[in-house]
Amino acid sequence: MRVLQLVYASRPFGFDANALEAIMAIARKRNGRDGITGALICRHDLFMQMLEGPRDKVTSCFARILRDDRHVEVSLLWCGDAARRLFPDWAMREDAWPSWMWGAAALSDGAVANATAEESRQVFVRLSKEPQQRGRLHEALGH
């Protein structure tokens, strides 16, 4: 069964690591109910997330994100069908910003905005093959 995969980036606004933990708990509950899986990569100045699942559920979830005032400058980076999920066991995996991703200078130079759709998707393909980097949300958010 094919699934829709959607990758977006946003700049977080108005919350800290504790608030993010609460948001993640709600997201995991909703995602589990809706058959959505995926991963969130956290940095104090940028989030990058992949959602994957049934087309109607993923697009509804993304619509909620677009309306959420805790996200600023939401950019759709990639959206397409896939033969299988990259994160089948994760209602929402969370990782600190991997060291192999763009650094602060590259981000300020527009690395995310200049990335192709395929480059954005490949970030999550690579992440799906690595062990989860848990317990680093406070560090990722600069606390």
Side-chain angles (χ1 to χ4, degrees):
M1 179 175 152
R2 297 191 69 78
V3 297
L4 180 68
Q5 290 179 329
L6 182 148
V7 175
Y8 76 90
S10 70
R11 189 168 49 84
F13 176 76
F15 56 94
D16 59 15
N18 292 330
L20 180 59
E21 291 287 354
I23 291 166
M24 292 294 290
I26 293 167
R28 286 183 178 115
K29 183 177 180 181
R30 281 185 183 160
N31 290 353
R33 175 195 71 204
D34 293 342
I36 296 173
T37 58
L40 172 66
I41 302 172
C42 304
R43 211 181 120 105
H44 73 282
D45 55 353
L46 184 72
F47 287 167
M48 203 168 160
Q49 185 171 25
M50 173 180 271
L51 302 169
E52 52 188 6
R55 179 173 299 278
D56 62 330
K57 300 298 185 179
V58 169
T59 56
S60 292
C61 181
F62 186 58
R64 280 193 306 273
I65 290 164
L66 289 170
R67 291 188 306 268
D68 189 333
D69 61 4
R70 295 170 296 193
H71 291 273
V72 180
E73 301 168 8
V74 178
S75 300
L76 178 62
L77 303 176
W78 184 79
C79 187
D81 291 323
R84 65 175 185 82
R85 296 172 188 253
L86 291 176
F87 303 95
D89 300 324
W90 295 95
M92 187 49 55
R93 176 177 158 159
E94 70 194 57
D95 286 271
W97 199 260
S99 60
W100 47 263
M101 286 187 70
W102 306 290
L107 285 177
S108 65
D109 287 342
V112 173
N114 295 326
T116 67
E118 183 59 21
E119 288 168 337
S120 299
R121 189 181 78 80
Q122 285 299 319
V123 166
F124 290 94
V125 169
R126 181 172 176 180
L127 184 67
S128 72
K129 297 173 183 174
E130 295 185 357
Q132 184 184 23
Q133 299 295 314
R134 289 198 57 99
R136 294 178 47 198
L137 277 180
H138 290 277
E139 176 186 321
L141 292 175
H143 301 285

